[in-house]
Amino acid sequence: MKKLIKNNKTGKLATKEVPVPHLKDGYLLVQNHYSALSVGTESSQVQLAEKNLLQKARSRPEEFKKVIDLVKTEGIISAYKKAMNKLELPSPLGYSSAGRVLEVGGGIEGFKKGDRVACGGCGHAEVIAVPKNLCVKVPDDVDLKQAAFTTIASIAMQGVRLADVKLGDNVVVIGLGIVGQITLQLIGASGAKAIGIDIDKDVVDYTRSFGVLAFQRNERSLFDKLSSLTGGYGADKVIITAGTSSNDPIEFAAGVLRDKGHITVVGGVSMDLPREPFYEKELSLNVSRSYGPGRYDVNYEEKGQDYPIGFVRWTEKRNMEAVLELMEINRLDLKKLITDLFPFSKAPDAYKKIKDAKVSVTGALLEYDQKVETRRKIVLASPKKKNGIGKTEINIGFIGAGSYAQKFLLPNLAKHKSVNFTGLSTATGMNADHIGRKYGFNYITTDAEEIMGDDSINCVFIATRHNLHAKLVISALKEDKHVYVEKPMGIKDTEIEEIMEAWKESKGTLTVGFNRRFSPFIKKTKSFLKGHAGPLAINYRVNAGYLPPDHWAHDPELGGGRIVGEACHFVDLCAFIAESEIERFSVEAINSTEERIPDEDTSIISLKFKNGSIATISYFSNGNDRLPKERIEVFCENSSVVIDDFKKCKFFSGRKVKNFNLRKQDKGQKNEIEEYLEMLKAGEPLIPAEELFSVSKAVLEMKNLVKD
C-alpha cells in the first residue's frame, strides 16, 4: 500500500510503498476511497517543514530548548546529529477520510467487512488502522466524497456546540476556509443568522455565491453594516475559524459583539485579549478542542473507552455521527464545497496547487485507486552475506523503532560490519520504510511474527512499548533466538515467570538493556573498589523529571509505571556495584497532590544486600529540570566515589582526590552493544540471567508496595 509522507527536514512530499498497518484489538483496517485535505492545517505543516533550521528553531522554541539542553549533556556534535535524525523522520498528513472496512479487530461490535465508514485521525494512505471510537458508519444515501469531510466537519460542529448557538442568534464567523464554510452551514441549520468575514475578497465572493451573508475584513463601513444586520445590538456570538498569528480576529470579535457576548476560538490565532472591550462588555471566551470530548484522551481514542452519554452527550464519535445524519437529510451539503479532486498518486502536486493558488482552495479531496496490494512485508534489498564474529553470523531482527532505538541501539549496531540488519518490524510502516532504508534492512514488516518465523534471524532486538516486551521475548526464546530486550523485561509477575520457563527451554540467550553497568565511570568505579573488602554504602539520586499524567509510561497496562519502567535501571546498577543479591527492600513514596500523578513518581527505595551493603535510591519527579539527572555516591573503608550525570567522576582515597571528566555524557550504551556482540561470539550471557530475574521481580514487588 502507499502512504503520503512528509519529510520534516525539507518539506518534500512523496507517496511511499509501506506495509499495511498492524491490526490491533479495538481497531479496524479501512481501505480509503477518499481523504480530505485540511488546507489550512496541512499547508502550515508543510510550510514549517520547508523552513531552514533557524526558521524552524524560531517557530518551535520549546523543541529548540530541548536541543540546547542536549548540547549541555552530550556535546554539540551529538546534539546536532540527534536533532538531524529527528528531522529526517517522516510524518503523515491528513486526518479525515472515508472508505470501506477490510478487517475488524478483536473487541469490536457493530462493524463488519465491507461497511462504508468515515474515519478520523489516520492520514492520507490507501489503507489505515482506525480506533473504533474514531470510525462511524456512513448512511447509504451519503456519498463517500462528502463523508470524507466528516472529521473536519466535526471540528466545526464542536465549535458551534461550544458557542451555544440558539434560534435567532446573530453569529459572526471569522475565517472562511473549509471549517468556516461548514460552520456557516451548521449555524444556518441551527436556526440562527450566519455572517461570514474573511480577508480574501475572492473567498468572500465564493461564500456569497451560496446565498450566505459575507464581508471582506477591510470593507468600508463594515462595523456599521454588521450593526445594522444585528438590529443595532451587535453579534451574540463570534466563532473564529481563521488561522493566523495576528491578533486582529480577537480584537475584531470584541468590537462587533454585543454586551455579554461570547467568542469561541476554533482556529489557531493569537489571543492577546484587549482588556477594555472585554471589561466594558463583560465578554466571555472559550477554546474549542478539535472534534469534541475524547480528543487527546488515550483511554477514549486508543483504548476505545466511551464516555457515558448521560454525562457527555457529544463525544468525538457522536459528533461525527451527527455530521453524517445532517448530510443524510440534506441539512449539511458539502458537495458544493468540493472544488478539487486529485488522484492519490498526484498528492504532492495537489499541495503544490494549493500553495500556488491565487484563490484559496476550499474543499480538496484525494481519490484512491481501489486496486491495492495489502502486503504486511516489503522486501527492500537482497540479503547481503557478511563475515560474522568468529563462527557466528549475527542476523538481526529488530522489533520497534522508537526514539531510544534510533538514538542508541541502531547507530551503535551499525558500526559493526559483522551485523546483518535482516528484518525490521514496526506497528506502522511509515517509520519502518525510512529506518529500513537508512540502515540497510533486507525487509520491513508490520507483523512481528515475520521476524520470529525467519530462520535466518538468530538475534532479536525488542524496543517496543513495555507491555509487548514479555510476549515478544517468550516468542523469540521459543524459536531459540538470542534476545536483547530494552528494560523492563516485563510489567507483570506472571510475565517474568513465563519468561523464566521459556529461557530454561531455549537455546538462545537473554539480555536486558541495563546499559549503565557498561559506563566508563562504572567500570572505573568497580576497579577502584576492587581492593576494598568491606560492604558498600550507595546513595543514588535521580532527578527523573515530570511526566504528564496521560503519558503512556504511567499506564499500568502499557508502561507499568516508572518504578518498573525506569527505576529498574538504578536498582540493577546498585546491585551490580555492590556485587551482591538483594536481600530485602522497602519503598516510601510521596503523597502526591496531583491525583492523576502516581505517588511512585517521587519515592525513596532502600536496598539491603546479602553481603551487608546498603543502597538508597532517591527517585524524584518533582525537581527542577536544570538540575542534572543522576548523581551516584559510593562509600567504603575511608574511600568514596562521586559520579555526576556520567560526565564527571571523583575518587577519594585517603588524602588523594582523582578527577575524571568526559566531553559528553556516556551511560554505557556503546560499550554495552560492543560487549553484547562479543558475548554472542563466545556464546556466554552478557548479564547473568539470575541477576536479570532478581531485579525484575524486585521492582515489580516495589511497585506493589506503593499502589494507590
Side-chain angles (χ1 to χ4, degrees):
M1 58 158 267
K2 287 185 169 61
K3 184 179 184 71
L4 181 63
I5 290 172
K6 169 172 63 75
N7 183 310
N8 288 310
K9 187 176 181 180
T10 64
K12 184 178 179 181
L13 303 178
T15 53
K16 292 283 189 74
E17 187 74 29
V18 299
V20 169
H22 172 67
L23 182 61
K24 300 188 292 186
D25 289 349
Y27 280 66
L28 300 100
L29 214 58
V30 174
Q31 182 176 351
N32 273 336
H33 286 216
Y34 301 95
S35 60
L37 297 178
S38 179
V39 176
T41 300
E42 294 178 43
S43 294
S44 64
Q45 290 174 355
V46 174
Q47 288 168 11
L48 174 61
E50 290 174 337
K51 292 181 177 181
N52 60 39
L53 287 176
L54 181 58
Q55 292 169 327
K56 283 185 172 78
R58 287 174 175 169
S59 301
R60 306 284 291 274
E62 288 301 315
E63 293 298 317
F64 183 66
K65 178 180 176 293
K66 291 179 183 178
V67 175
I68 296 300
D69 290 341
L70 200 60
V71 169
K72 294 176 181 177
T73 57
E74 298 191 22
I76 190 167
I77 295 175
S78 177
Y80 176 79
K81 286 180 178 178
K82 289 178 181 179
M84 290 301 99
N85 180 66
K86 189 171 183 178
L87 281 177
E88 287 171 359
L89 286 175
S91 62
L93 288 166
Y95 57 88
S96 188
S97 66
R100 288 186 182 272
V101 175
L102 289 177
E103 294 181 46
V104 180
I108 295 182
E109 297 178 355
F111 291 95
K112 65 180 184 303
K113 183 178 179 179
D115 281 347
R116 301 164 74 245
V117 291
C119 310
C122 297
H124 302 304
E126 290 178 327
V127 179
I128 55 177
V130 191
K132 66 179 183 181
N133 278 347
L134 292 179
C135 189
V136 294
K137 286 186 178 180
V138 176
D140 293 339
D141 294 336
V142 176
D143 183 71
L144 286 179
K145 290 189 182 73
Q146 275 204 89
F149 288 96
T150 297
T151 307
I152 294 174
S154 296
I155 296 172
M157 177 168 281
Q158 179 63 13
V160 173
R161 290 198 193 285
L162 281 185
D164 193 23
V165 173
K166 295 182 173 64
L167 284 167
D169 276 350
N170 296 305
V171 186
V172 172
V173 178
I174 302 174
L176 303 181
I178 183 66
V179 175
Q181 295 291 338
I182 296 171
T183 300
L184 290 171
Q185 287 197 43
L186 292 173
I187 291 167
S190 303
K193 182 190 291 182
I195 305 168
I197 304 292
D198 200 279
I199 59 173
D200 191 321
K201 182 180 183 302
D202 293 322
V203 172
V204 170
D205 291 341
Y206 173 77
T207 306
R208 287 173 176 170
S209 70
F210 302 129
V212 179
L213 290 167
F215 301 92
Q216 194 176 358
R217 170 64 184 88
N218 61 1
E219 199 167 315
R220 199 176 281 181
S221 304
L222 177 57
F223 281 88
D224 292 338
K225 292 176 183 178
L226 294 176
S227 177
S228 176
L229 286 169
T230 58
Y233 297 114
D236 298 292
K237 313 282 171 62
V238 173
I239 300 176
I240 300 175
T241 56
T244 175
S245 59
S246 169
N247 203 53
D248 183 70
I250 286 288
E251 294 174 1
F252 179 76
V256 301
L257 279 167
R258 64 166 169 81
D259 192 58
K260 295 185 183 295
H262 181 84
I263 301 171
T264 297
V265 178
V266 176
V269 295
S270 176
M271 287 189 286
D272 184 8
L273 306 185
R275 186 182 187 281
E276 188 173 332
F278 268 79
Y279 173 77
E280 291 178 355
K281 296 182 180 180
E282 205 172 40
L283 304 178
S284 60
L285 177 146
N286 61 13
V287 180
S288 179
R289 185 169 59 190
S290 197
Y291 6 114
R295 187 72 179 112
Y296 308 116
D297 181 347
V298 172
N299 289 325
Y300 181 88
E301 292 191 328
E302 296 184 19
K303 295 185 178 181
Q305 297 174 11
D306 198 3
Y307 300 151
I309 195 167
F311 293 91
V312 183
R313 175 63 183 93
W314 295 108
T315 60
E316 288 180 271
K317 182 164 186 168
R318 294 195 270 270
N319 272 339
M320 292 170 72
E321 290 170 338
V323 163
L324 288 165
E325 287 174 10
L326 288 175
M327 292 180 187
E328 186 179 23
I329 62 175
N330 296 316
R331 298 298 299 275
L332 182 61
D333 181 8
L334 301 190
K335 294 191 296 292
K336 62 186 181 182
L337 296 180
I338 299 173
T339 54
D340 292 85
L341 184 64
F342 301 95
F344 179 62
S345 60
K346 301 292 184 182
D349 296 335
Y351 284 87
K352 186 176 187 306
K353 178 179 177 181
I354 291 168
K355 180 181 176 182
D356 296 341
K358 293 181 180 178
V359 179
S360 297
V361 177
T362 302
L365 281 175
L366 297 177
E367 183 176 19
Y368 295 81
D369 189 335
Q370 295 311 296
K371 295 179 181 179
V372 178
E373 291 188 29
T374 55
R375 294 179 292 166
R376 285 191 166 88
K377 175 183 176 181
I378 293 178
V379 176
L380 300 179
S382 300
K384 296 177 181 178
K385 203 75 173 176
K386 297 181 181 179
N387 294 324
I389 298 180
K391 297 179 180 179
T392 304
E393 183 166 307
I394 304 176
N395 298 324
I396 288 179
F398 215 97
I399 305 175
S403 59
Y404 186 84
Q406 293 172 45
K407 287 179 182 178
F408 299 109
L409 299 181
L410 287 164
N412 284 318
L413 284 168
K415 294 173 183 177
H416 296 271
K417 295 180 180 180
S418 55
V419 167
N420 299 332
F421 285 122
T422 305
L424 171 64
S425 174
T426 63
T428 63
M430 183 177 65
N431 276 357
D433 176 77
H434 170 74
I435 295 166
R437 295 181 188 280
K438 180 175 180 178
Y439 289 99
F441 278 89
N442 298 338
Y443 64 85
I444 56 176
T445 179
T446 51
D447 185 0
E449 288 305 311
E450 286 279 357
I451 303 294
M452 303 306 179
D454 188 339
D455 292 336
S456 71
I457 291 174
N458 54 19
C459 179
V460 175
F461 272 72
I462 299 168
T464 62
R465 283 188 175 181
H466 301 165
N467 62 309
L468 299 176
H469 285 188
K471 178 183 176 182
L472 294 169
V473 167
I474 292 166
S475 181
L477 287 173
K478 285 183 176 180
E479 295 294 333
D480 292 325
K481 300 182 189 297
H482 299 293
V483 179
Y484 179 108
V485 59
E486 260 311 309
K487 51 80 190 167
M489 184 192 297
I491 60 175
K492 296 177 181 177
D493 298 318
T494 54
E495 291 179 345
I496 305 304
E497 295 299 328
E498 290 171 7
I499 291 172
M500 283 183 69
E501 292 304 313
W503 169 74
K504 289 176 184 177
E505 299 294 326
S506 179
K507 295 178 183 177
T509 58
L510 175 62
T511 296
V512 178
F514 290 140
N515 53 275
R516 283 163 177 78
R517 286 175 169 240
F518 306 94
S519 164
F521 286 157
I522 296 300
K523 288 179 178 292
K524 281 181 176 293
T525 297
K526 294 276 283 188
S527 178
F528 174 70
L529 296 172
K530 199 167 186 179
H532 296 75
L536 307 179
I538 305 168
N539 186 37
Y540 199 152
R541 190 268 295 148
V542 184
N543 184 33
Y546 168 81
L547 281 183
D550 59 354
H551 193 281
W552 67 269
H554 290 306
D555 191 317
E557 297 300 318
L558 291 178
R562 297 184 80 177
I563 286 179
V564 172
E566 188 185 24
C568 59
H569 259 316
F570 316 121
V571 173
D572 173 76
L573 186 56
C574 288
F576 180 64
I577 294 171
E579 295 185 346
S580 180
E581 188 178 344
I582 299 170
E583 184 175 70
R584 62 179 182 269
F585 54 81
S586 64
V587 184
E588 288 294 338
I590 198 172
N591 293 324
S592 175
T593 56
E594 170 57 74
E595 289 184 5
R596 295 187 300 163
I597 298 198
D599 292 349
E600 70 174 77
D601 278 25
T602 299
S603 55
I604 295 176
I605 299 169
S606 297
L607 304 172
K608 180 65 180 289
F609 298 96
K610 288 185 176 180
N611 67 357
S613 296
I614 58 173
T616 300
I617 301 169
S618 302
Y619 186 86
F620 298 154
S621 68
N622 58 351
N624 187 283
D625 62 4
R626 308 305 296 178
L627 179 69
K629 181 176 179 179
E630 296 174 51
R631 181 181 174 92
I632 305 167
E633 298 174 335
V634 185
F635 304 86
C636 179
E637 292 185 329
N638 197 35
S639 296
S640 301
V641 177
V642 177
I643 300 173
D644 278 315
D645 219 24
F646 295 94
K647 284 186 72 177
K648 298 178 180 179
C649 180
K650 286 185 178 182
F651 290 168
F652 299 81
S653 180
R655 293 187 173 274
K656 295 180 181 179
V657 179
K658 288 186 177 180
N659 291 281
F660 303 94
N661 297 303
L662 296 175
R663 293 178 63 187
K664 64 178 184 178
Q665 186 182 69
D666 189 341
K667 293 182 181 180
Q669 289 95 344
K670 178 175 177 290
N671 289 343
E672 182 184 31
I673 292 299
E674 288 179 350
E675 293 188 35
Y676 179 64
L677 297 178
E678 287 297 318
M679 177 276 290
L680 291 182
K681 171 185 173 181
E684 297 294 331
L686 181 63
I687 302 172
E690 295 77 11
E691 295 180 24
L692 298 177
F693 290 121
S694 174
V695 168
S696 297
K697 288 179 179 180
V699 293
L700 283 166
E701 291 180 35
M702 293 173 194
K703 165 75 175 179
N704 292 333
L705 289 176
V706 292
K707 275 187 176 178
D708 296 325

